Amino acid sequence: MSKLEDYVITIPDFPKEGIMFRDVTGILEHQDGLKIATDELVKCLEGVEFDSVASVEARGFVFGAPVAYAMGKSFMMIRKRGKLPRETVSKEYELEYGKAVIEIHKDDIKPGQKIVIVDDVIATGGTFKAAIELLESVGAEVVKVLCLMELKGLNGREVLKDYDVDSLIQYEGK
Ligand code: AMP
């Protein structure tokens, strides 16, 4: 078991019965947690050519921004509806209950810009897929999808089969 995996706190039945919630605050509360996570994410990007890191609020920011910093890249904030002050493009997507909308500043992305998306968990893959479609709608090229934890039982990789997906920790179930 990697040290990072030891730091993840698993809470059964949160936020509802049957969900094993993988809590990243367990990583962040250790002095070396964010550093180990960032270093391991950066290692996954060896040899990848890209311009920027993008993450979806809020947990994605915690891990995406340090990766951008460590690699000397720009960072794009993909936010929930109504938070960004300039002209935005948006993407609506399905959640387990209801819908959500994510947005990015329209002029943040230049056509052909190569983006790595970083998040905490890939579950169904729906959030990553929405972020990819949002970025592609403004001409970006998503060259890698990277996360700390992957819940293999939810098959997110199938939804993202056309993309290069990497995760640091894999859980077999949901
Ligand atoms: P998804 O769109 O289904 O891939 O998951 C959306 C987001 O929900 C992920 O980026 C996580 O932040 C969060 N999430 C989903 N399932 C879990 C889980 N079991 N533990 C912790 N976070 C989760």
Side-chain angles (χ1 to χ4, degrees):
M1 224 196 302
S2 78
K3 199 167 181 181
L4 200 60
E5 189 168 350
D6 295 341
Y7 287 171
V8 176
I9 301 169
T10 299
I11 299 111
D13 300 323
F14 180 86
K16 63 185 183 87
E17 219 178 305
I19 304 278
M20 299 290 275
F21 192 83
R22 310 292 179 178
D23 180 15
V24 293
T25 66
I27 295 173
L28 300 171
E29 74 187 17
H30 287 85
Q31 287 193 336
D32 59 356
L34 185 58
K35 179 165 170 46
I36 294 170
T38 306
D39 290 350
E40 289 190 14
L41 291 170
V42 164
K43 219 177 279 171
C44 294
L45 292 171
E46 265 171 26
V48 179
E49 262 185 53
F50 67 103
D51 304 301
S52 311
V53 176
S55 295
V56 180
E57 77 173 289
R59 279 168 283 170
F61 292 176
V62 175
F63 299 99
V67 170
Y69 171 79
M71 301 197 73
K73 305 293 183 184
S74 56
F75 181 70
M76 313 281 156
M77 295 198 289
I78 300 173
R79 300 211 63 186
K80 305 280 163 59
R81 179 160 46 193
K83 304 278 188 186
L84 291 170
R86 291 185 277 116
E87 192 183 349
T88 56
V89 283
S90 47
K91 170 80 197 163
E92 186 178 82
Y93 66 106
E94 301 282 336
L95 292 173
E96 199 176 349
Y97 301 106
K99 292 174 194 288
V101 177
I102 49 173
E103 296 184 332
I104 192 162
H105 276 141
K106 197 172 179 180
D107 57 6
D108 270 359
I109 309 286
K110 307 286 171 278
Q113 194 164 331
K114 290 183 166 46
I115 309 266
V116 171
I117 309 179
V118 174
D119 204 355
D120 64 336
V121 174
I122 174 172
T124 64
T127 303
F128 268 126
K129 188 82 190 350
I132 290 169
E133 286 174 6
L134 178 68
L135 291 165
E136 288 181 345
S137 76
V138 283
E141 184 190 345
V142 175
V143 295
K144 192 157 184 103
V145 168
L146 186 55
C147 61
L148 263 68
M149 293 176 270
E150 176 176 356
L151 313 181
K152 291 180 77 174
L154 290 172
N155 249 337
R157 270 191 200 246
E158 185 51 33
V159 172
L160 303 169
K161 61 180 182 318
D162 298 330
Y163 296 88
D164 177 3
V165 179
D166 227 336
S167 57
L168 302 181
I169 303 167
Q170 296 82 35
Y171 296 100
E172 287 304 323
K174 294 183 178 178

Short mmCIF file of all heavy atoms in Angstrom, two decimals, residues 7-51:
data_model
loop_
_atom_site.label_atom_id
_atom_site.label_comp_id
_atom_site.label_asym_id
_atom_site.label_seq_id
_atom_site.Cartn_x
_atom_site.Cartn_y
_atom_site.Cartn_z
N TYR A 7 -3.46 7.35 3.80
CA TYR A 7 -3.99 8.62 4.29
C TYR A 7 -5.47 8.84 3.95
O TYR A 7 -6.13 9.70 4.54
CB TYR A 7 -3.20 9.79 3.70
CG TYR A 7 -1.81 9.99 4.27
CD1 TYR A 7 -0.94 10.89 3.68
CD2 TYR A 7 -1.36 9.29 5.39
CE1 TYR A 7 0.34 11.11 4.18
CE2 TYR A 7 -0.09 9.48 5.89
CZ TYR A 7 0.76 10.39 5.28
OH TYR A 7 2.02 10.60 5.78
N VAL A 8 -5.97 8.11 2.95
CA VAL A 8 -7.38 8.30 2.55
C VAL A 8 -8.28 7.73 3.64
O VAL A 8 -8.09 6.59 4.08
CB VAL A 8 -7.67 7.59 1.21
CG1 VAL A 8 -9.16 7.70 0.85
CG2 VAL A 8 -6.80 8.17 0.09
N ILE A 9 -9.24 8.52 4.07
CA ILE A 9 -10.19 8.02 5.07
C ILE A 9 -11.45 7.59 4.32
O ILE A 9 -11.99 8.34 3.51
CB ILE A 9 -10.55 9.13 6.09
CG1 ILE A 9 -9.28 9.63 6.79
CG2 ILE A 9 -11.57 8.62 7.11
CD1 ILE A 9 -9.50 10.89 7.61
N THR A 10 -11.88 6.35 4.57
CA THR A 10 -13.08 5.84 3.89
C THR A 10 -14.25 5.86 4.86
O THR A 10 -14.17 5.28 5.95
CB THR A 10 -12.83 4.42 3.35
OG1 THR A 10 -11.75 4.48 2.41
CG2 THR A 10 -14.06 3.86 2.67
N ILE A 11 -15.31 6.53 4.45
CA ILE A 11 -16.50 6.63 5.29
C ILE A 11 -17.64 5.86 4.62
O ILE A 11 -18.15 6.27 3.58
CB ILE A 11 -16.91 8.11 5.52
CG1 ILE A 11 -15.77 8.85 6.22
CG2 ILE A 11 -18.17 8.21 6.36
CD1 ILE A 11 -15.09 9.85 5.39
N PRO A 12 -18.02 4.72 5.22
CA PRO A 12 -19.11 3.95 4.61
C PRO A 12 -20.44 4.69 4.75
O PRO A 12 -20.67 5.42 5.73
CB PRO A 12 -19.15 2.66 5.44
CG PRO A 12 -17.94 2.68 6.31
CD PRO A 12 -17.50 4.10 6.45
N ASP A 13 -21.28 4.52 3.74
CA ASP A 13 -22.66 5.05 3.75
C ASP A 13 -22.73 6.57 3.83
O ASP A 13 -23.64 7.11 4.46
CB ASP A 13 -23.48 4.41 4.88
CG ASP A 13 -23.56 2.90 4.70
OD1 ASP A 13 -23.67 2.44 3.54
OD2 ASP A 13 -23.50 2.18 5.72
N PHE A 14 -21.76 7.28 3.25
CA PHE A 14 -21.84 8.74 3.14
C PHE A 14 -21.70 9.12 1.67
O PHE A 14 -20.80 8.60 0.99
CB PHE A 14 -20.72 9.42 3.95
CG PHE A 14 -20.77 10.93 3.87
CD1 PHE A 14 -21.57 11.66 4.74
CD2 PHE A 14 -20.07 11.62 2.88
CE1 PHE A 14 -21.64 13.05 4.66
CE2 PHE A 14 -20.14 13.01 2.79
CZ PHE A 14 -20.92 13.72 3.68
N PRO A 15 -22.51 10.05 1.14
CA PRO A 15 -23.62 10.75 1.79
C PRO A 15 -24.89 9.93 1.86
O PRO A 15 -25.89 10.39 2.41
CB PRO A 15 -23.82 11.98 0.89
CG PRO A 15 -23.34 11.55 -0.45
CD PRO A 15 -22.27 10.52 -0.21
N LYS A 16 -24.87 8.70 1.29
CA LYS A 16 -26.05 7.85 1.46
C LYS A 16 -25.63 6.39 1.50
O LYS A 16 -24.49 6.05 1.16
CB LYS A 16 -27.08 8.11 0.36
CG LYS A 16 -26.62 7.78 -1.05
CD LYS A 16 -27.71 8.22 -2.02
CE LYS A 16 -27.34 7.85 -3.43
NZ LYS A 16 -27.69 6.54 -3.89
N GLU A 17 -26.57 5.54 1.88
CA GLU A 17 -26.27 4.13 2.06
C GLU A 17 -25.65 3.51 0.80
O GLU A 17 -26.09 3.80 -0.32
CB GLU A 17 -27.56 3.39 2.41
CG GLU A 17 -27.33 2.33 3.46
CD GLU A 17 -28.63 1.64 3.83
OE1 GLU A 17 -29.58 2.34 4.21
OE2 GLU A 17 -28.65 0.40 3.71
N GLY A 18 -24.64 2.71 1.00
CA GLY A 18 -24.04 1.99 -0.12
C GLY A 18 -22.84 2.70 -0.73
O GLY A 18 -22.08 2.10 -1.49
N ILE A 19 -22.65 4.00 -0.42
CA ILE A 19 -21.50 4.73 -0.96
C ILE A 19 -20.33 4.62 0.01
O ILE A 19 -20.50 4.82 1.21
CB ILE A 19 -21.83 6.25 -1.15
CG1 ILE A 19 -23.07 6.43 -2.03
CG2 ILE A 19 -20.62 7.02 -1.66
CD1 ILE A 19 -22.85 6.36 -3.50
N MET A 20 -19.18 4.28 -0.52
CA MET A 20 -17.94 4.31 0.28
C MET A 20 -17.27 5.64 -0.06
O MET A 20 -16.67 5.77 -1.13
CB MET A 20 -17.01 3.15 -0.11
CG MET A 20 -17.61 1.80 0.15
SD MET A 20 -17.73 1.47 1.91
CE MET A 20 -16.10 0.84 2.22
N PHE A 21 -17.38 6.61 0.81
CA PHE A 21 -16.86 7.94 0.50
C PHE A 21 -15.36 8.00 0.77
O PHE A 21 -14.90 7.71 1.87
CB PHE A 21 -17.59 9.01 1.33
CG PHE A 21 -17.31 10.40 0.85
CD1 PHE A 21 -18.01 10.93 -0.22
CD2 PHE A 21 -16.33 11.18 1.45
CE1 PHE A 21 -17.74 12.21 -0.69
CE2 PHE A 21 -16.04 12.45 1.00
CZ PHE A 21 -16.75 12.97 -0.07
N ARG A 22 -14.59 8.36 -0.25
CA ARG A 22 -13.12 8.43 -0.15
C ARG A 22 -12.75 9.87 0.13
O ARG A 22 -12.77 10.71 -0.75
CB ARG A 22 -12.48 7.94 -1.44
CG ARG A 22 -13.02 6.60 -1.94
CD ARG A 22 -12.63 5.45 -1.03
NE ARG A 22 -13.17 4.17 -1.52
CZ ARG A 22 -12.96 3.01 -0.95
NH1 ARG A 22 -12.24 2.92 0.15
NH2 ARG A 22 -13.48 1.92 -1.45
N ASP A 23 -12.38 10.13 1.37
CA ASP A 23 -12.24 11.49 1.86
C ASP A 23 -10.80 11.98 1.75
O ASP A 23 -9.90 11.48 2.44
CB ASP A 23 -12.71 11.51 3.32
CG ASP A 23 -12.60 12.87 3.94
OD1 ASP A 23 -12.44 13.86 3.21
OD2 ASP A 23 -12.67 12.95 5.20
N VAL A 24 -10.60 13.00 0.90
CA VAL A 24 -9.24 13.52 0.69
C VAL A 24 -8.75 14.40 1.84
O VAL A 24 -7.56 14.72 1.89
CB VAL A 24 -9.10 14.31 -0.63
CG1 VAL A 24 -9.28 13.40 -1.83
CG2 VAL A 24 -10.05 15.49 -0.68
N THR A 25 -9.62 14.79 2.74
CA THR A 25 -9.13 15.61 3.87
C THR A 25 -8.13 14.79 4.70
O THR A 25 -7.27 15.35 5.36
CB THR A 25 -10.26 16.16 4.77
OG1 THR A 25 -10.89 15.07 5.43
CG2 THR A 25 -11.27 16.95 3.97
N GLY A 26 -8.25 13.46 4.65
CA GLY A 26 -7.28 12.60 5.33
C GLY A 26 -5.88 12.76 4.75
O GLY A 26 -4.88 12.64 5.47
N ILE A 27 -5.79 13.00 3.46
CA ILE A 27 -4.48 13.26 2.83
C ILE A 27 -3.98 14.64 3.26
O ILE A 27 -2.82 14.81 3.65
CB ILE A 27 -4.61 13.21 1.28
CG1 ILE A 27 -4.98 11.80 0.83
CG2 ILE A 27 -3.32 13.69 0.62
CD1 ILE A 27 -5.28 11.67 -0.67
N LEU A 28 -4.85 15.62 3.22
CA LEU A 28 -4.44 17.02 3.43
C LEU A 28 -4.03 17.30 4.88
O LEU A 28 -3.26 18.22 5.14
CB LEU A 28 -5.57 17.96 3.01
CG LEU A 28 -5.98 17.84 1.53
CD1 LEU A 28 -7.24 18.65 1.26
CD2 LEU A 28 -4.85 18.28 0.62
N GLU A 29 -4.54 16.49 5.81
CA GLU A 29 -4.24 16.79 7.22
C GLU A 29 -2.84 16.34 7.63
O GLU A 29 -2.35 16.72 8.69
CB GLU A 29 -5.30 16.17 8.14
CG GLU A 29 -5.18 14.67 8.30
CD GLU A 29 -6.34 14.07 9.08
OE1 GLU A 29 -7.38 14.74 9.23
OE2 GLU A 29 -6.21 12.93 9.54
N HIS A 30 -2.20 15.53 6.78
CA HIS A 30 -0.81 15.14 7.05
C HIS A 30 0.14 16.15 6.43
O HIS A 30 -0.08 16.62 5.32
CB HIS A 30 -0.51 13.75 6.49
CG HIS A 30 -1.15 12.65 7.27
ND1 HIS A 30 -2.46 12.24 7.04
CD2 HIS A 30 -0.70 11.90 8.29
CE1 HIS A 30 -2.76 11.28 7.88
NE2 HIS A 30 -1.72 11.05 8.66
N GLN A 31 1.23 16.44 7.13
CA GLN A 31 2.16 17.46 6.62
C GLN A 31 2.72 17.12 5.26
O GLN A 31 2.97 18.01 4.45
CB GLN A 31 3.29 17.68 7.63
CG GLN A 31 2.78 18.43 8.85
CD GLN A 31 3.89 18.95 9.73
OE1 GLN A 31 4.99 18.40 9.71
NE2 GLN A 31 3.60 19.98 10.50
N ASP A 32 2.92 15.82 5.00
CA ASP A 32 3.49 15.47 3.69
C ASP A 32 2.43 15.03 2.68
O ASP A 32 2.77 14.66 1.55
CB ASP A 32 4.56 14.37 3.85
CG ASP A 32 4.01 13.10 4.48
OD1 ASP A 32 2.82 13.08 4.87
OD2 ASP A 32 4.76 12.11 4.58
N GLY A 33 1.15 15.08 3.06
CA GLY A 33 0.09 14.54 2.20
C GLY A 33 -0.02 15.23 0.84
O GLY A 33 0.00 14.58 -0.21
N LEU A 34 -0.11 16.57 0.87
CA LEU A 34 -0.28 17.30 -0.39
C LEU A 34 0.98 17.17 -1.26
O LEU A 34 0.89 17.09 -2.48
CB LEU A 34 -0.61 18.77 -0.11
CG LEU A 34 -0.94 19.63 -1.33
CD1 LEU A 34 -2.12 19.08 -2.12
CD2 LEU A 34 -1.23 21.07 -0.91
N LYS A 35 2.12 17.13 -0.59
CA LYS A 35 3.38 17.01 -1.35
C LYS A 35 3.47 15.64 -2.04
O LYS A 35 3.82 15.56 -3.22
CB LYS A 35 4.59 17.22 -0.42
CG LYS A 35 5.90 17.08 -1.16
CD LYS A 35 7.08 17.63 -0.39
CE LYS A 35 8.40 17.25 -1.04
NZ LYS A 35 8.43 17.44 -2.49
N ILE A 36 3.14 14.58 -1.30
CA ILE A 36 3.19 13.24 -1.92
C ILE A 36 2.20 13.17 -3.08
O ILE A 36 2.53 12.70 -4.17
CB ILE A 36 2.87 12.14 -0.88
CG1 ILE A 36 3.96 12.07 0.18
CG2 ILE A 36 2.71 10.79 -1.56
CD1 ILE A 36 3.63 11.18 1.37
N ALA A 37 0.98 13.67 -2.84
CA ALA A 37 -0.04 13.63 -3.90
C ALA A 37 0.43 14.40 -5.13
O ALA A 37 0.37 13.90 -6.26
CB ALA A 37 -1.36 14.21 -3.38
N THR A 38 0.95 15.61 -4.91
CA THR A 38 1.40 16.44 -6.04
C THR A 38 2.56 15.77 -6.77
O THR A 38 2.55 15.69 -8.00
CB THR A 38 1.84 17.84 -5.53
OG1 THR A 38 0.77 18.40 -4.77
CG2 THR A 38 2.19 18.77 -6.68
N ASP A 39 3.54 15.27 -6.01
CA ASP A 39 4.71 14.64 -6.64
C ASP A 39 4.29 13.43 -7.48
O ASP A 39 4.81 13.21 -8.58
CB ASP A 39 5.73 14.18 -5.58
CG ASP A 39 6.43 15.37 -4.91
OD1 ASP A 39 6.27 16.50 -5.40
OD2 ASP A 39 7.10 15.15 -3.88
N GLU A 40 3.34 12.65 -6.96
CA GLU A 40 2.91 11.45 -7.70
C GLU A 40 2.11 11.84 -8.95
O GLU A 40 2.23 11.19 -9.99
CB GLU A 40 2.11 10.52 -6.79
CG GLU A 40 3.00 9.85 -5.75
CD GLU A 40 2.31 8.73 -4.98
OE1 GLU A 40 1.23 8.27 -5.41
OE2 GLU A 40 2.85 8.33 -3.93
N LEU A 41 1.30 12.89 -8.84
CA LEU A 41 0.55 13.35 -10.02
C LEU A 41 1.52 13.88 -11.08
O LEU A 41 1.38 13.58 -12.28
CB LEU A 41 -0.46 14.45 -9.63
CG LEU A 41 -1.64 13.98 -8.78
CD1 LEU A 41 -2.42 15.18 -8.24
CD2 LEU A 41 -2.59 13.07 -9.58
N VAL A 42 2.52 14.63 -10.62
CA VAL A 42 3.52 15.19 -11.55
C VAL A 42 4.26 14.04 -12.27
O VAL A 42 4.52 14.12 -13.47
CB VAL A 42 4.51 16.11 -10.79
CG1 VAL A 42 5.76 16.40 -11.61
CG2 VAL A 42 3.81 17.42 -10.41
N LYS A 43 4.55 12.97 -11.53
CA LYS A 43 5.25 11.82 -12.14
C LYS A 43 4.44 11.23 -13.30
O LYS A 43 4.99 10.81 -14.31
CB LYS A 43 5.49 10.75 -11.06
CG LYS A 43 6.84 10.08 -11.19
CD LYS A 43 7.08 9.07 -10.09
CE LYS A 43 7.55 9.72 -8.79
NZ LYS A 43 7.58 8.79 -7.66
N CYS A 44 3.11 11.22 -13.13
CA CYS A 44 2.24 10.69 -14.21
C CYS A 44 2.29 11.56 -15.46
O CYS A 44 1.82 11.16 -16.52
CB CYS A 44 0.78 10.64 -13.75
SG CYS A 44 0.47 9.48 -12.44
N LEU A 45 2.82 12.78 -15.33
CA LEU A 45 2.83 13.70 -16.48
C LEU A 45 4.19 13.75 -17.18
O LEU A 45 4.38 14.55 -18.09
CB LEU A 45 2.41 15.10 -16.01
CG LEU A 45 0.94 15.18 -15.59
CD1 LEU A 45 0.64 16.51 -14.93
CD2 LEU A 45 0.04 14.97 -16.79
N GLU A 46 5.09 12.86 -16.72
CA GLU A 46 6.40 12.80 -17.39
C GLU A 46 6.20 12.48 -18.87
O GLU A 46 5.47 11.55 -19.21
CB GLU A 46 7.27 11.71 -16.76
CG GLU A 46 8.19 12.24 -15.68
CD GLU A 46 8.88 11.13 -14.90
OE1 GLU A 46 9.05 10.03 -15.45
OE2 GLU A 46 9.22 11.37 -13.72
N GLY A 47 6.79 13.28 -19.72
CA GLY A 47 6.69 13.02 -21.16
C GLY A 47 5.42 13.53 -21.81
O GLY A 47 5.25 13.40 -23.02
N VAL A 48 4.49 14.06 -21.01
CA VAL A 48 3.24 14.60 -21.59
C VAL A 48 3.47 16.07 -21.95
O VAL A 48 3.91 16.86 -21.10
CB VAL A 48 2.07 14.49 -20.58
CG1 VAL A 48 0.79 15.08 -21.17
CG2 VAL A 48 1.86 13.05 -20.16
N GLU A 49 3.17 16.41 -23.17
CA GLU A 49 3.32 17.81 -23.61
C GLU A 49 2.00 18.53 -23.41
O GLU A 49 0.98 18.11 -23.95
CB GLU A 49 3.66 17.84 -25.09
CG GLU A 49 5.14 18.01 -25.36
CD GLU A 49 5.40 18.16 -26.84
OE1 GLU A 49 4.77 19.01 -27.48
OE2 GLU A 49 6.20 17.36 -27.33
N PHE A 50 2.00 19.58 -22.60
CA PHE A 50 0.75 20.31 -22.38
C PHE A 50 1.03 21.75 -21.98
O PHE A 50 2.17 22.10 -21.62
CB PHE A 50 -0.12 19.61 -21.33
CG PHE A 50 0.44 19.62 -19.93
CD1 PHE A 50 -0.08 20.49 -18.97
CD2 PHE A 50 1.46 18.76 -19.56
CE1 PHE A 50 0.42 20.51 -17.68
CE2 PHE A 50 1.97 18.78 -18.25
CZ PHE A 50 1.45 19.64 -17.32
N ASP A 51 -0.02 22.58 -22.07
CA ASP A 51 0.12 24.01 -21.78
C ASP A 51 -0.44 24.37 -20.41
O ASP A 51 0.08 25.26 -19.73
CB ASP A 51 -0.64 24.84 -22.83
CG ASP A 51 -0.18 24.52 -24.24
OD1 ASP A 51 1.02 24.68 -24.51
OD2 ASP A 51 -1.02 24.09 -25.05
#
